[in-house]
């Protein structure tokens, strides 16, 4: 299967103040599970629609291997791109059985009856619904309907699978089960996949690589581990997981670490860094994820006042005041409200250039 290439993709709508998609570029390797992640309005679904041929780009180039989908002089209709697409709503025909829903795209491609039956049997086996050929959509659960929609997208052997938030209609427990099943299906089929979601857990669980979008631009592109452990800017750290931010000043920097003074409290902290760009006197932003605080802490710690505690089952959620800045921490230990020290692990924080985001 060919790789997908998106180069300098732009989409502008008449009268809009900014581009919905603004100079977006990425390449999806053969067999890769690639996710477009971001909040509503970031441009992820518009990008997917441009790949599918449902939106005509304002500029840029999209190609699958040597087949150009769109550029300045070419625009292939959706049916000419051999794509499989699953929408958030599943879009199953309610008056058709499962088999009839799957057979429709094969009839449109004029495949003979024997070949249609073989493909339907094969794909229903892949999604675990071999005994559901004669059911109607209303006779099936949401999870089963989702599998039928995926089966319909796969039955004609597309070169590329596009998924637009296909798990968002499932309840929380079923959604977790569906993530594992979907990833296993994608690996077994080996199809190149582009997935759109605003759900961080889905993106981290399913993806080989993630592109984080905001305001039509790609903020960072990398593996789930790179995105979570090494966010390039505060906006990425804040969207992927939950992160606290404090303004600080660099006192010294050497040997892969910096010494900081937290402006809100005057406290000095040491933090490991991966680059040597920070210099004494720089104004920076210290980022610390909620789950990485030591609570309570003794070394490399911030003075705080614990103001709220919420029980969440396997952990406690804490709200703390740090020199007028509200911090949030998550910990398995139960700590009573009051004054305490909040430990900051040297290797568990980020130092971003510039002031607060």
């Amino acid at each position: 299967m060919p790789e997908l290439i998106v180069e300098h993709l732009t989409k502008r709508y008449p009268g809009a103040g900014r581009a919905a998609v603004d100079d977006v570029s990425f390449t999806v390797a053969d067999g890769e599970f690639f996710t477009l992640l971001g909040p509503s309005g970031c441009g992820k679904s518009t990008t997917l629609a441009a790949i599918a041929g449902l939106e005509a780009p304002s500029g840029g180039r999209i190609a699958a291997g040597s087949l150009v989908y769109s550029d300045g002089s070419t625009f292939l209709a959706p049916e000419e791109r051999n794509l499989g697409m699953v929408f958030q709503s599943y879009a199953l025909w309610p008056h058709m059985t499962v088999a009839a829903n799957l057979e429709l795209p094969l009839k449109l491609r004029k495949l003979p009856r024997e070949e249609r039956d073989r493909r339907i049997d094969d794909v229903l086996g892949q999604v675990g619904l071999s005994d559901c050929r004669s059911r109607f959509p209303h006779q099936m659960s949401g999870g089963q309907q989702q599998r039928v929609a995926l089966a319909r997208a796969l039955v004609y052997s597309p070169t590329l699978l596009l998924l637009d938030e296909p798990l968002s209609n499932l309840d929380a427990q079923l959604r977790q089960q569906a993530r594992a099943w979907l990833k296993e299906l994608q690996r077994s089929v080996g199809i190149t996949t582009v997935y759109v979601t605003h759900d961080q857990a889905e993106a981290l669980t399913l993806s080989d690589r993630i592109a984080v979008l905001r305001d039509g631009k790609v903020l960072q592109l990398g593996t789930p581990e790179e995105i979570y452990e090494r966010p390039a800017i505060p906006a990425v750290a804040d969207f992927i997981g939950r992160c606290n931010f404090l303004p600080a000043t660099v006192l010294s920097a050497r040997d892969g670490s910096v010494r900081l003074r937290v402006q809100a409290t005057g406290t000095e902290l040491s933090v490991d860094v991966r680059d040597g760009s920070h210099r004494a006197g720089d104004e920076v932003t210290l980022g610390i994820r909620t789950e990485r605080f030591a609570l309570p802490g003794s070394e490399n710690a911030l003075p705080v006042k614990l103001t709220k505690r919420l029980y969440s089952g396997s952990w406690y959620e804490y709200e703390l005041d740090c020199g007028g800045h509200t911090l949030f921490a998550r910990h398995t230990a139960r700590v009573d409200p009051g004054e305490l020290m909040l430990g900051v692990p040297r290797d568990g924080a980020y130092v971003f250039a510039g002031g607060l985001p």
Side-chain angles (χ1 to χ4, degrees), residues 159-301:
T159 57
L160 182 65
L161 180 62
L162 307 180
L163 304 174
D164 192 0
E165 306 219 34
L167 307 184
S168 60
N169 289 331
L170 305 180
D171 62 50
Q173 184 174 1
L174 188 56
R175 190 157 57 243
Q176 289 184 342
Q177 297 171 358
R179 287 174 195 158
W181 171 83
L182 179 58
K183 182 61 176 176
E184 183 59 32
L185 175 67
Q186 188 267 341
R187 283 178 174 166
S188 65
V189 175
I191 189 170
T192 306
T193 301
V194 181
Y195 189 90
V196 160
T197 186
H198 66 276
D199 189 301
Q200 307 156 28
E202 279 183 19
L204 294 171
T205 302
L206 291 169
S207 310
D208 295 315
R209 286 188 305 143
I210 299 169
V212 182
L213 278 71
R214 188 178 70 176
D215 296 335
K217 296 179 180 292
V218 174
L219 300 183
Q220 187 172 351
L221 195 158
T223 67
E225 291 83 0
E226 289 169 344
I227 296 291
Y228 191 85
E229 300 292 343
R230 298 187 292 280
I233 57 176
V236 175
D238 194 35
F239 187 75
I240 307 295
R242 195 174 187 186
C243 197
N244 299 280
F245 299 102
L246 288 168
T249 304
V250 176
L251 300 177
S252 62
R254 64 174 186 174
D255 301 330
S257 69
V258 295
R259 187 76 177 168
L260 305 171
R261 177 180 289 114
V262 176
Q263 295 173 9
T265 61
T267 309
E268 295 186 13
L269 301 173
S270 293
V271 178
D272 293 342
V273 292
R274 293 180 173 84
D275 64 76
S277 63
H278 304 294
R279 298 289 183 268
D282 286 352
E283 300 297 311
V284 296
T285 296
L286 176 65
I288 314 149
R289 294 203 179 277
T290 58
E291 73 274 12
R292 293 189 173 161
F293 285 118
L295 187 66
S298 55
E299 300 179 356
N300 213 48

Side-chain angles (χ1 to χ4, degrees), residues 62-142:
I62 306 173
S66 60
L67 179 62
V68 176
Y69 289 171
S70 64
D71 61 15
S73 58
T74 302
F75 183 82
L76 294 185
E79 61 270 19
E80 298 177 285
R81 302 187 183 201
N82 193 31
L83 305 172
M85 188 162 185
V86 178
F87 298 93
Q88 181 177 349
S89 64
Y90 310 146
L92 300 175
W93 293 104
H95 64 290
M96 292 183 177
T97 64
V98 168
N101 266 280
L102 269 59
E103 189 177 27
L104 184 58
L106 301 178
K107 283 183 175 180
L108 294 174
R109 288 163 174 81
K110 303 187 185 305
L111 271 65
R113 178 59 181 270
E114 295 77 11
E115 178 66 10
R116 298 201 302 265
D117 286 341
R118 183 190 66 79
R119 290 198 180 202
I120 291 170
D121 287 340
D122 287 348
V123 76
L124 286 177
Q126 286 178 325
V127 301
L129 294 176
S130 295
D131 59 345
C132 296
R133 283 182 63 106
S134 301
R135 293 189 190 179
F136 289 89
H138 72 271
Q139 296 173 318
M140 310 180 80
S141 67

